[in-house]
Amino acid sequence: MNKFEEKTVHTEKVYEGKIIDLEIDDVILPNKKTSKREIVRHPGAVAILAMTGEGKIIMVEQYRKPLGKSIIEIPAGKLEPGEESVKTAARELEEETGYAARQFDFIMSYYTSPGFADEKIELFLAKDLYKVEEQSLGDDDEFVELIELTPTEAIEYIKQERIHDAKTVHAVYYALMKEV
Amino acid sequence: MNKFEEKTVHTEKVYEGKIIDLEIDDVILPNKKTSKREIVRHPGAVAILAMTGEGKIIMVEQYRKPLGKSIIEIPAGKLEPGEESVKTAARELEEETGYAARQFDFIMSYYTSPGFADEKIELFLAKDLYKVEEQSLGDDDEFVELIELTPTEAIEYIKQERIHDAKTVHAVYYALMKEV
């Protein structure tokens, strides 16, 4: 779909980072005027909706520096170059929670901030879970704590803003509606 | 909640833009090692779930330069300095769709990309709608087209990735579950 397409006439890369890049595009609008678009480039990510045999959603609490607080989220992680996204999902689930799954079903993808970023999250449903090891608390610069919540408890945590990010809010509603 | 807090030892602003700023924070992790965090600062935004008397969700199609395609979203817009968020919601709904509402109820807020951005969206339910004028197609550098979808049609559009952003996906599930 290209309705109201904006043509790029110039791109300036203003920052290249570890996770994100920032570029400024000069564009021509549908009314022929020009404008600037600030665009964050991100490699994309996966998120995993995983439920225990007792019907609890597996989540992790972690500190989010941009927010200045810790929040409770479904397991997630960014894509690595050349890695298939379902493999990233399996790796992140195990690293962050100590759980593995015999099956991963793709649910859907969505962009998180389409106004200024190209980050796309692929959401997977992890089925047939088993415990691999005690939780290893994420990777080198990531510290997470395992938390398991029923969907009803999760709705309460959304009200309290302890769950406070779009992907986790959506996953809780999805779990409640689909009764996965 | 400050579990696993990361202390900032230095902040470098690398870009100040029209909508977003970018800063790089040097932080001390819970294990006393240091790391860098790339943080996009955003003023925050509102999004509006508005349904017609016929039970259709009011949406707009617009081109999203970071994605390189147009998608269909619920009306939304960034906060203006000093403007109360419910006023932003009323203004954006009218500008983008030509509808006004006699009541706005706060539903919830959520962060869109907690790993690298502080953008927070406040979601409002617009009630008791009335048509103010023909749709004016957004503001100066924004071009949008009004689209009204039943929740069932919206689920189909999610599968087709014509609806393809987290806030709209969540709003559709919320509308279906709450039968607002």
Side-chain angles (χ1 to χ4, degrees), chain A residues 1 3-4 8 17-20 35 37-38 41 65-66 70 109 111-113 119 141 145 164-166, chain B residues 1 3 8 17-20 35 37-38 41 63 65-66 70 109 111-113 119 141 145 164-166:
Chain A
M1 303 292 291
K3 193 171 283 184
F4 306 128
T8 307
K18 202 170 53 168
I19 295 171
I20 57 173
S35 190
R37 298 295 183 208
E38 300 159 354
R41 299 288 177 196
K65 186 65 192 151
S70 64
S109 72
Y111 290 95
T112 55
S113 301
E119 184 194 32
D141 69 349
E145 183 174 297
H164 207 189
D165 74 299
Chain B
M1 303 293 290
K3 193 170 282 182
T8 308
K18 201 171 54 169
I19 296 171
I20 57 173
S35 190
R37 299 295 183 207
E38 299 159 355
R41 300 286 178 199
Y63 189 78
K65 185 68 193 152
S70 64
S109 72
Y111 290 95
T112 55
S113 300
E119 184 195 31
D141 69 349
E145 183 173 297
H164 206 190
D165 75 299

Side-chain angles (χ1 to χ4, degrees), chain B residues 67-83:
Chain B
L67 285 44
K69 69 171 187 174
S70 64
I71 58 174
I72 297 167
E73 302 171 52
I74 56 171
K78 72 178 172 62
L79 295 177
E80 297 296 334
E83 187 179 53

Side-chain angles (χ1 to χ4, degrees), chain A residues 12-78:
Chain A
E12 187 193 351
K13 183 80 79 176
V14 295
Y15 178 78
E16 287 187 67
K18 202 170 53 168
I19 295 171
I20 57 173
D21 296 344
L22 176 63
E23 68 180 46
I24 312 302
D25 283 12
D26 292 305
V27 299
I28 299 177
L29 303 174
N31 63 3
K32 309 296 178 202
K33 290 185 180 172
T34 58
S35 190
K36 282 183 187 293
R37 298 295 183 208
E38 300 159 354
I39 301 174
V40 173
R41 299 288 177 196
H42 184 283
V46 295
I48 304 108
L49 174 57
M51 297 187 75
T52 66
E54 295 77 41
K56 292 187 173 184
I57 308 174
I58 296 172
M59 301 207 187
V60 289
E61 179 160 7
Q62 66 185 305
Y63 189 78
R64 291 302 202 169
K65 186 65 192 151
L67 284 45
K69 70 172 187 174
S70 64
I71 58 173
I72 297 167
E73 303 171 51
I74 57 171
K78 72 179 170 64

Side-chain angles (χ1 to χ4, degrees), chain B:
Chain B
M1 303 293 290
N2 292 317
K3 193 170 282 182
F4 307 128
E5 186 168 358
E6 300 171 357
K7 300 272 183 204
T8 308
V9 289
H10 182 254
T11 295
E12 187 193 350
K13 183 79 79 176
V14 295
Y15 178 77
E16 288 187 66
K18 201 171 54 169
I19 296 171
I20 57 173
D21 296 345
L22 176 63
E23 68 181 45
I24 312 302
D25 283 13
D26 292 305
V27 300
I28 299 177
L29 302 174
N31 64 2
K32 309 295 179 205
K33 290 186 181 172
T34 57
S35 190
K36 283 184 187 293
R37 299 295 183 207
E38 299 159 355
I39 301 173
V40 173
R41 300 286 178 199
H42 184 282
V46 296
I48 304 108
L49 174 56
M51 295 185 76
T52 66
E54 295 77 42
K56 292 187 172 183
I57 307 174
I58 295 172
M59 301 209 187
V60 288
E61 179 161 7
Q62 65 186 304
Y63 189 78
R64 290 303 201 171
K65 185 68 193 152
L67 285 44
K69 69 171 187 174
S70 64
I71 58 174
I72 297 167
E73 302 171 52
I74 56 171
K78 72 178 172 62
L79 295 177
E80 297 296 334
E83 187 179 53
E84 211 188 336
S85 56
V86 67
K87 298 254 187 272
T88 314
R91 185 171 48 73
E92 290 289 346
L93 178 65
E94 194 169 325
E95 273 179 17
E96 292 193 353
T97 72
Y99 279 99
R102 290 187 182 83
Q103 194 182 331
F104 287 87
D105 291 350
F106 175 75
I107 298 177
M108 68 175 72
S109 72
Y110 40 74
Y111 290 95
T112 55
S113 300
F116 68 86
D118 68 355
E119 184 195 31
K120 184 166 79 171
I121 292 181
E122 294 175 61
L123 178 65
F124 287 92
L125 179 63
K127 285 176 164 172
D128 220 345
L129 298 182
Y130 57 99
K131 198 84 188 177
V132 181
E133 53 183 344
E134 283 313 296
Q135 187 197 21
S136 62
L137 284 178
D139 62 19
D140 269 2
D141 69 349
E142 187 182 54
F143 299 82
V144 300
E145 183 173 297
L146 184 65
I147 293 179
E148 300 179 2
L149 297 174
T150 65
T152 311
E153 287 169 336
I155 290 285
E156 198 49 45
Y157 276 45
I158 291 170
K159 286 181 192 154
Q160 296 168 6
E161 302 188 341
R162 296 181 66 189
I163 291 175
H164 206 190
D165 75 299
K167 71 175 177 307
T168 306
V169 168
H170 169 250
V172 169
Y173 277 80
Y174 183 88
L176 265 168
M177 220 180 73
K178 294 286 179 176
E179 293 177 358
V180 288

